[in-house]
């Protein structure tokens, strides 16, 4: 029981190397302190110090601190006093009253947004509820304390919470890793605070447990004895008791040693610190041992102690006794409130003469504030409006610049397109003029005339085809154009070309657009390479088509720009602007059909690739 309760004794945050000296210094501060709130804090510090050696003194100072804090309406002091009262009642084995006071302290700390002390109180409540037999509720409070504590980066309070977690689950083999983690983190945090000597005692005790589990039982016991002796020397009696109880754990795990001297030592330390009400389990265990050993002297000694403790436990169960202090303190508070009320009435009478002047002054100040507020608001609205106008103007300028760049690119392309069209129309017109001249002069042979007519027909048909494709491309750029995909059989469309296309492989696209793309890719492959083949394959929900020619005259860098407005002509320089225009139109057609088109150079191969959705 004491082992679970020990966490409430971890609330102090100062180094306890010389308990009597610290108490003496605090008493001297009480004699000289003039500030009432600081005086209350010193009373609470004394209460906390005294719980190490005298539970009754801890209780007395807590009562004084609560009384003074109530008169001053000092909530932080009242919360600390309630916390100390909770500790005092717990040391007297009155867990019910301890929980009641701790709940009140928690309410105050939460109102004050004091997360550090709220974390401590939640940690204590987890212990109290476990002592009351409500282990699940106790664990919930412990988890709440850990949730708050982990947000207090390198706060010594979190070290105490982690140690409490390790104490709670030290014997749970399923949580061995989490217990070791908690000990490691607590040691890391304690290293940042010289005042956490007490924490290090517990951490070293857990390290002794690890030695015990690793088979070094004798070394673990010796270490525990040394730690307990040093803790007692430093005035940390409660720490010494808790450390000694580790040896009881070793005995319960099968390690053979005489445990009775340790139990007697624990009980003796408990009597020194006034923790006798918590020592009932130890006294029962010792009394039973000496009864079996027929040691009459020891039986009489511990029988008397047992009777004293059980009688006190029965008295503490009396509800009137349990609530007596609470009723007394409430009565004291009521008296103080009556006195405070009289003082307030006298102050109120004096204040009435000043109230009117204060109201006028307040009204005047409010008027000035309203004027200033209106002026500030007007200036702020003007500033916001100017900022919005500036942002709108900047956005419009950026949009105009983007559109200008796009128009310039499109204008360059159209100029090149007109140049290509003019170039393509020049040849058939020249052929027509040449044939007309021959017919007019009549000096050409019949065979030559027929050849010229055929050439003129072919070039005219080619030019007409190019013109038709350009018209289709222009039509696709118009806002009224509606794309309607249809199934297109790839093997049929590439008839007459060496292909690796599976039978029945279809893509969703516009047949005429796709035919233009195929003719352009084949023409480009023939122009930029020699041997040509076509490969098509299904990829998930799309079809990828590659027109491959080799060896190629292009570099990888040139291939990447074949289908871009700015780079197409540069990429095929020396091969004609007509081919560049075709590739650019191919890119637009693919965008309209929801596909992608690009080019790669792999070794000596030029790969002209497009991908369209599969028609299935």
């Amino acid at each position: 029981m004491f082992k679970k309760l020990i966490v409430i004794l971890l609330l102090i945050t100062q180094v306890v190397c010389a308990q009597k000296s610290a108490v003496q210094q605090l008493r001297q501060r009480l004699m000289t302190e003039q500030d009432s709130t600081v005086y209350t804090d010193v009373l609470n510090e004394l209460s906390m110090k005294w719980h190490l050696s005298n539970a009754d003194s801890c209780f007395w100072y807590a009562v004084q601190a609560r009384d003074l804090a109530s008169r001053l309406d000092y909530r932080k002091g009242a919360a600390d006093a309630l916390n100390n009262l909770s500790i005092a009642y717990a040391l007297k084995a009155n867990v019910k009253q301890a929980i009641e006071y701790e709940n009140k302290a928690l309410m105050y700390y939460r109102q004050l947004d004091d997360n550090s002390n709220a974390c401590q109180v939640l940690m204590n409540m987890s212990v109290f509820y476990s002592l009351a037999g409500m282990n699940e509720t106790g664990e919930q409070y412990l988890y709440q304390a850990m949730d708050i504590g982990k947000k207090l980066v390198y706060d010594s309070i979190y070290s105490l919470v982690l140690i409490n977690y390790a104490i709670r689950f030290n014997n749970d083999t399923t949580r061995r890793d989490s217990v070791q983690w908690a000990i490691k983190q607590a040691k890391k945090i304690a290293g940042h605070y010289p005042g956490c000597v007490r924490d290090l005692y517990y951490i070293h005790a857990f390290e002794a447990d690890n030695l015990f589990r690793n088979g070094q039982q004798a070394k673990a016991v010796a270490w525990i004895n040394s730690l307990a002796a040093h803790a007692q020397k430093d005035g940390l009696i409660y720490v010494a008791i808790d450390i000694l109880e580790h040896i009881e754990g070793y005995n319960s795990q099968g390690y053979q040693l005489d445990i009775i001297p340790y139990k007697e030592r624990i009980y003796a330390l408990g009597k020194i610190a006034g923790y006798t009400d918590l020592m009932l389990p130890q006294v029962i265990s010792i009394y039973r041992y000496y009864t079996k050993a027929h040691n009459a002297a020891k039986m009489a000694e511990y029988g008397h102690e047992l009777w004293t403790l059980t009688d006190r436990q029965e008295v503490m169960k009396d509800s009137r006794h349990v609530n007596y202090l609470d009723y007394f303190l409430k009565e004291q508070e009521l008296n103080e409130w009556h006195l405070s009320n009289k003082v307030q009435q006298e102050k109120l009478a004096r204040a009435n003469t000043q109230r009117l002047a204060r109201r006028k002054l307040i009204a005047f100040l409010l008027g000035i504030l309203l004027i200033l507020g209106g002026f500030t608001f007007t200036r702020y609205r003007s500033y916001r409006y100017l900022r919005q106008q500036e942002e709108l103007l900047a956005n419009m300028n950026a949009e105009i610049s983007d559109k200008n760049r796009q128009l310039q690119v499109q204008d360059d392309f159209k100029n090149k397109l007109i140049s290509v069209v003019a170039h393509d129309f020049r040849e058939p017109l020249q052929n027509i003029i040449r044939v007309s001249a021959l017919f007019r002069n009549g000096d050409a042979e019949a065979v030559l005339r027929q050849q010229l007519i055929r050439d003129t027909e072919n070039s005219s048909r080619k030019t007409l085809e190019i013109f038709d494709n350009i018209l289709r491309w222009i039509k696709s750029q118009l806002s009224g154009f509606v794309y309607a995909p249809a199934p297109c059989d790839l093997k049929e469309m590439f008839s007459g070309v060496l292909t690796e296309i599976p039978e029945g492989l279809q893509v969703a696209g516009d047949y005429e657009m796709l035919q233009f793309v195929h003719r352009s890719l084949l023409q480009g492959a023939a122009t930029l390479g020699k041997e040509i083949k076509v490969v098509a394959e299904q990829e998930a929900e799309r079809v990828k088509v590659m027109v491959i020619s080799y060896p190629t005259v292009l570099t990888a860098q040139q291939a990447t720009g074949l289908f871009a407005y700015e780079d197409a002509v540069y990429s095929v320089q020396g091969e004609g602007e007509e081919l560049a225009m075709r590739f650019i139109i191919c890119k637009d057609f693919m965008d309209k059909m929801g596909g992608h088109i690009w080019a790669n150079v792999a070794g000596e191969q030029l790969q002209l690739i497009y991908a369209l959705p599969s028609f299935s």
Side-chain angles (χ1 to χ4, degrees):
M1 179 181 293
F2 187 85
K3 188 170 185 178
K4 292 181 179 178
L5 178 63
I6 202 63
V7 178
I8 63 173
L9 304 179
L10 301 177
L11 297 175
I12 55 175
T13 58
Q14 295 81 16
V15 182
V16 188
C17 296
Q19 177 67 13
K20 293 182 179 179
S21 175
V23 170
Q24 186 63 31
Q25 291 176 6
L26 290 172
R27 282 179 170 175
Q28 290 176 357
R29 285 188 62 188
L30 283 179
M31 297 174 63
T32 59
E33 187 59 57
Q34 300 296 321
D35 189 293
S36 298
T37 57
V38 178
Y39 191 88
T40 305
D41 292 337
V42 176
L43 286 173
N44 279 318
E45 287 187 56
L46 272 168
S47 176
M48 183 60 69
K49 293 291 185 184
W50 272 113
H51 89 272
L52 299 170
S53 56
N54 192 308
D56 292 331
S57 296
C58 170
F59 171 78
W60 188 86
Y61 280 107
V63 171
Q64 298 300 315
R66 185 188 182 191
D67 183 42
L68 183 55
S70 298
R71 293 199 302 271
L72 298 172
D73 194 22
Y74 178 32
R75 290 207 168 190
K76 174 63 167 58
D80 292 342
L82 289 168
N83 193 18
N84 290 333
L85 285 172
S86 175
I87 295 175
Y89 271 102
L91 293 174
K92 294 298 182 181
N94 190 338
V95 179
K96 178 181 177 182
Q97 195 69 25
I99 291 175
E100 180 180 345
Y101 280 119
E102 211 60 292
N103 272 312
K104 293 178 181 179
L106 180 61
M107 179 183 67
Y108 281 139
Y109 285 135
R110 282 176 171 170
Q111 290 174 353
L112 295 168
D113 289 330
D114 190 342
N115 291 329
S116 181
N117 280 313
C119 179
Q120 293 183 28
V121 172
L122 288 168
M123 179 180 64
N124 293 342
M125 292 181 72
S126 72
V127 177
F128 297 157
Y129 276 104
S130 297
L131 291 174
M134 293 181 283
N135 291 323
E136 292 184 1
T137 303
E139 289 184 9
Q140 291 300 318
Y141 277 105
L142 176 59
Y143 294 143
Q144 290 182 42
M146 292 188 70
D147 186 57
I148 296 175
K150 68 183 179 183
K151 299 173 185 176
L152 305 172
V153 180
Y154 285 121
D155 193 300
S156 60
I157 302 306
Y158 189 37
S159 173
L160 303 180
V161 176
L162 292 171
I163 290 173
N164 184 33
Y165 177 88
I167 291 173
R168 177 69 60 86
F169 299 111
N170 189 35
N171 295 323
D172 188 344
T173 56
T174 63
R175 304 201 187 200
R176 187 75 66 209
D177 291 340
S178 63
V179 168
Q180 293 300 321
W181 171 85
I183 295 169
K184 182 178 179 181
Q185 289 296 110
K187 188 173 183 179
K188 182 179 179 181
I189 295 171
H192 289 76
Y193 294 91
C196 291
V197 176
R198 169 197 62 263
D199 299 3
L200 295 176
Y201 276 113
Y202 284 103
I203 293 168
H204 291 322
F206 287 124
E207 292 172 349
D209 291 346
N210 290 333
L211 288 176
F212 182 86
R213 295 188 190 99
N214 293 330
Q216 302 182 52
Q217 289 86 354
K219 187 175 181 180
V221 172
W223 196 349
I224 290 294
N225 277 306
S226 176
L227 287 173
H230 281 87
Q232 181 179 355
K233 183 179 178 181
D234 288 341
L236 301 173
I237 297 176
Y238 65 91
V239 177
I241 292 174
D242 193 37
I243 290 175
L244 287 172
E245 289 194 347
H246 282 252
I247 294 180
E248 290 190 60
Y250 299 163
N251 182 255
S252 64
Q253 296 178 46
Y255 183 65
Q256 299 298 321
L257 78 166
D258 188 1
I259 198 65
I260 296 301
Y262 291 100
K263 290 181 177 290
E264 290 182 317
R265 185 179 173 188
I266 289 172
Y267 181 63
L269 290 172
K271 290 184 69 175
I272 292 173
Y275 306 149
T276 52
D277 294 292
L278 297 174
M279 296 293 103
L280 184 59
Q282 299 289 351
V283 176
I284 293 174
S285 177
I286 297 171
Y287 178 77
R288 287 176 178 173
Y289 173 80
Y290 284 120
T291 299
K292 291 181 181 179
H294 303 291
N295 189 329
K298 291 291 185 179
M299 286 173 59
E301 177 185 351
Y302 286 100
H304 176 73
E305 296 289 344
L306 183 60
W307 178 86
T308 302
L309 291 175
T310 53
D311 181 64
R312 187 178 300 171
Q313 290 287 329
E314 291 299 322
V315 172
M316 292 297 291
K317 290 180 181 178
D318 186 349
S319 61
R320 289 173 299 174
H321 179 81
V322 168
N323 293 319
Y324 175 78
L325 175 62
D326 196 42
Y327 295 152
F328 170 77
L329 292 176
K330 287 181 179 179
E331 183 179 2
Q332 291 295 104
E333 290 177 7
L334 184 60
N335 292 334
E336 294 299 332
W337 276 111
H338 285 314
L339 293 174
S340 177
N341 186 44
K342 292 180 180 180
V343 173
Q344 290 297 327
Q345 288 178 352
E346 294 175 358
K347 290 181 179 180
L348 187 61
R350 292 193 301 268
N352 285 334
T353 59
Q354 303 173 2
R355 184 175 303 170
L356 183 60
R358 286 200 302 269
R359 286 181 177 178
K360 290 181 178 180
L361 178 61
I362 291 172
F364 175 75
L365 293 175
L366 285 176
I368 293 177
L369 287 175
L370 288 174
I371 294 172
L372 291 175
F375 177 77
T376 303
F377 179 73
T378 303
R379 295 289 297 174
Y380 177 73
R381 287 192 60 184
S382 300
Y383 170 76
R384 286 292 303 273
Y385 178 78
L386 290 175
R387 286 295 302 272
Q388 291 174 357
Q389 292 297 317
E390 290 175 359
E391 291 177 359
L392 179 60
L393 183 60
N395 292 334
M396 291 176 63
N397 289 335
E399 185 177 353
I400 291 171
S401 297
D402 290 339
K403 290 183 178 180
N404 285 336
R405 284 194 294 270
Q406 294 175 5
L407 289 173
Q408 184 176 358
V409 172
Q410 293 176 1
D411 187 62
D412 291 342
F413 173 71
K414 290 176 182 176
N415 291 335
K416 293 175 182 178
L417 182 62
I418 292 171
S419 175
V420 171
V421 172
H423 179 272
D424 289 339
F425 273 94
R426 184 183 299 112
E427 182 180 353
L429 290 175
Q430 288 177 347
N431 288 336
I432 292 172
I433 294 171
R434 189 180 301 114
V435 170
S436 299
L438 289 173
F439 275 103
R440 184 181 68 246
N441 299 329
D443 56 356
E445 297 180 0
V447 175
L448 179 59
R449 286 199 298 269
Q450 291 296 325
Q451 180 64 38
L452 288 173
I453 292 172
R454 283 195 298 270
D455 291 344
T456 302
E457 180 184 3
N458 290 335
S459 61
S460 299
R461 184 180 295 108
K462 179 180 177 183
T463 301
L464 183 61
E465 179 183 343
I466 293 172
F467 188 69
D468 186 58
N469 290 328
I470 291 173
L471 289 177
R472 172 167 291 279
W473 172 77
I474 294 173
K475 181 181 178 181
S476 70
Q477 305 299 310
L478 299 178
S479 59
F481 174 77
V482 178
Y483 170 62
C488 300
D489 190 297
L490 290 175
K491 196 169 186 66
E492 179 182 329
M493 296 183 77
F494 281 104
S495 61
V497 181
L498 177 61
T499 65
E500 295 180 10
I501 302 176
E503 291 289 343
L505 186 60
Q506 294 181 330
V507 296
D510 183 280
Y511 187 84
E512 293 182 0
M513 288 185 180
L514 204 55
Q515 280 286 63
F516 175 81
V517 172
H518 290 167
R519 287 195 297 270
S520 299
L521 295 184
L522 290 173
Q523 180 182 343
T527 303
L528 302 173
K530 293 183 179 180
E531 299 185 23
I532 301 174
K533 69 174 181 178
V534 180
V535 178
E537 58 184 9
Q538 181 84 34
E539 289 186 349
E541 297 181 355
R542 71 173 190 171
V543 174
K544 186 170 77 173
V545 179
M546 292 192 297
V547 178
I548 303 172
S549 66
Y550 53 89
T552 182
V553 298
L554 296 185
T555 65
Q557 181 178 3
Q558 290 175 323
T560 59
L562 282 178
F563 298 99
Y565 274 102
E566 298 84 355
D567 301 329
V569 175
Y570 167 74
S571 297
V572 296
Q573 59 184 346
E575 304 298 337
E577 292 184 345
E578 176 193 347
L579 182 59
M581 296 301 107
R582 280 180 172 273
F583 283 166
I584 294 173
I585 294 174
C586 288
K587 174 68 168 60
D588 286 343
F589 281 173
M590 279 297 157
D591 291 341
K592 288 292 187 299
M593 292 187 288
H596 301 282
I597 189 166
W598 68 97
N600 289 330
V601 171
E604 294 185 351
Q605 286 188 354
L606 171 64
Q607 299 174 349
L608 304 176
I609 310 166
Y610 75 80
L612 280 174
S614 174
F615 191 91
S616 58

